[in-house]
Structure formats: structure tokens, C-alpha cells
């Protein structure tokens, strides 16, 4: 049985007071669980990482970055290395989010290099994949997702260290979501693709998340799908009540 992972990507949101309050609210709730039935991950903006790591300390919530460099150090102005994230106390990092791929021109090769650097630094990695609306309407969803997995996932990736998040670009922040049949089809395909790359055992153990307008009203249905092992949540992760409501669907699962 794959353990569920509820991950929150705060994106470029939050100043110190609000970020600490959000982290504290979630940490206090997660600490109330004697034996949590799910894992929780939050990715604040870089400016809040040290404060959030300290606030969430010993809560059981793991904290990570929204991106990292493929380099450990050097003349890379404005970049943050995975070694630096590890030094801050982070446990993981998101790479390959569609907003990084679109806004910063990140290719599969770049995403793979970042994932490899993060793993080398001892971080867990959430690798994002997903198609645009034009690609979906052209019937290319599986081709795009398959190509991104093949090009972005490091060779020899292991379950427990690497998580794959499917985020259809057209569903992020729009309030639109694919049908549950569509989500399950893509996730089952992803697992099949991973089996070809990494072996059946690893593919069956690896957590696959769904992201894209996940909210309390649709979380239970999405998270009940056979090949969906959690959620990567955007907007709803910025409010304690909403994010906890999504996570709470797993308390009785």
C-alpha cells in the first residue's frame, strides 16, 4: 500500500507573518495525529524557508523548495543550490513545475539535471509533468507526459526518493479539472511508463500525485483513484482550513 502524500506549493505568495502563521497552523494540526496516515510537504518561497523550517520543526511535516539549481555552487546569480536547501533543513524540492518550464524555458534535460543534483544532495524530489490545453485537445496528452517522464526522471530513480506529480497545465489555478477517468488514465499510463524505465517493482512503489485545482470539494474523489497517491496543491494550500480539509480526507481512508 502506497502512503498518501499531501503537498502544498505556496508559489510566490506570503510574507513572514502570514507564512509563519500558516506553517504553525498546519504543524499544530499535524502534531495532533498520533500516527498520521499520510505525509505532508510544504514548499514556501525561498524567503520564508528558514522561518518555516524552524516553525515546522519536529512536527513531522517536511519542508522544501519550489525549485533548485543543477549546480552546488558557483557563479549562478540568483540561483539556490540543493546543497543550500539541505543546509537550511529542507527535506525535498519541487522541480519541473509547468510554471518553471513555461516562464523560464526549462527543458526535460534541465529538469533531470536539477533532480539529479537534488538527489545527490540528499533531498527528496517531486518531478512535475503535464500537458497544455492545446496538447490535450490535439490528443497528445499521453505522448507529452510520457516524453516528460522519460526525459526528466533520473536513471535509477527510487521510490521514496522521487515522486511524480501530474499537473495538467490548463487545470492549474483555473478551477477546471479533468474527469476522474482522465486522471486515472494518465496516472495508470505514468506508472506503466515508469515500469519500463525503472522496473515494475519501483513503479508500483513510487508515489504519483495529482495537481491542478485540487480543493476540499474534489479531493476525496481524486485521492480515491487507484493510481493517485496524493495531491500537489496550489491555491488551496495557502489557507490552513482548506489545505487541512484536503488532507483530512485521508484520516479515515
Amino acid at each position: 500500500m502506497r502512503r498518501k502524500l499531501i503537498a502544498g506549493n505556496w508559489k510566490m505568495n506570503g510574507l513572514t507573518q502570514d507564512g509563519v502563521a500558516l506553517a504553525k497552523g498546519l504543524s499544530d494540526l499535524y502534531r495532533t495525529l498520533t500516527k498520521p496516515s499520510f505525509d505532508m510537504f510544504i514548499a514556501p518561497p525561498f524567503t520564508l524557508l528558514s522561518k518555516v523550517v524552524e516553525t515546522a520543526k519536529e512536527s513531522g511535516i517536511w519542508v522544501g523548495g519550489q525549485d533548485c539549481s543543477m549546480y552546488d555552487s558557483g557563479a549562478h546569480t540568483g540561483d539556490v543550490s540543493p546543497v543550500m536547501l539541505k543546509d537550511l533543513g529542507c527535506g525535498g524540492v519541487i522541480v519541473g513545475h509547468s510554471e518553471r518550464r513555461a516562464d523560464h524555458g526549462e527543458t526535460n534535460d534541465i529538469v533531470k539535471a536539477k533532480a539529479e543534483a537534488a538527489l545527490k544532495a540528499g533531498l527528496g524530489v517531486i518531478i512535475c509533468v503535464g500537458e497544455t490545453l492545446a496538447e490535450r485537445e490535439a490528443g497528445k496528452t499521453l505522448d507529452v507526459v510520457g516524453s516528460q517522464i522519460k526525459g526528466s526522471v533520473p536513471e535509477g530513480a527510487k521510490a521514496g526518493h522521487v515522486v511524480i506529480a501530474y499537473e495538467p497545465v490548463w487545470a492549474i489555478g483555473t478551477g477546471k479539472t479533468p474527469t476522474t477517468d482522465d486522471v486515472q488514465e494518465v496516472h495508470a499510463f505514468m506508472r506503466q511508463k515508469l515500469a519500463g524505465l525503472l522496473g515494475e517493482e519501483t513503479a508500483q512503489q513510487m508515489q504519483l500525485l495529482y495537481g491542478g485545482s485540487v480543493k476540499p470539494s474534489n479531493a476525496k474523489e481524486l485521492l480515491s483513484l487507484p493510481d493517485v497517491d496524493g495531491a500537489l496543491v496550489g491555491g488551496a494550500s495557502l489557507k490552513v482550513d482548506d489545505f487541512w480539509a484536503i488532507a483530512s480526507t485521508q484520516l479515515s481512508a
Side-chain angles (χ1 to χ4, degrees), residues 8 10 13-31 40-45 48-64 237-241 243-244:
W10 296 5
N13 294 291
L15 301 181
T16 301
Q17 184 175 351
D18 292 336
V20 169
L22 178 53
K24 184 179 186 306
L26 293 171
S27 297
D28 288 347
L29 287 167
Y30 199 69
R31 284 190 184 98
M40 181 170 281
F41 169 81
I42 51 178
L48 297 181
L49 275 173
S50 61
K51 292 282 189 182
V52 171
V53 166
E54 182 62 30
T55 302
K57 190 176 181 180
E58 298 181 358
S59 69
I61 296 175
W62 55 298
V63 180
S237 71
L238 297 174
K239 296 181 179 179
V240 172
D241 290 346
F243 193 50
W244 190 251

Side-chain angles (χ1 to χ4, degrees), residues 156-171:
K158 301 294 184 184
H161 299 279
V162 173
V163 174
I164 311 297
Y166 168 57
E167 290 197 307
V169 179
W170 53 272

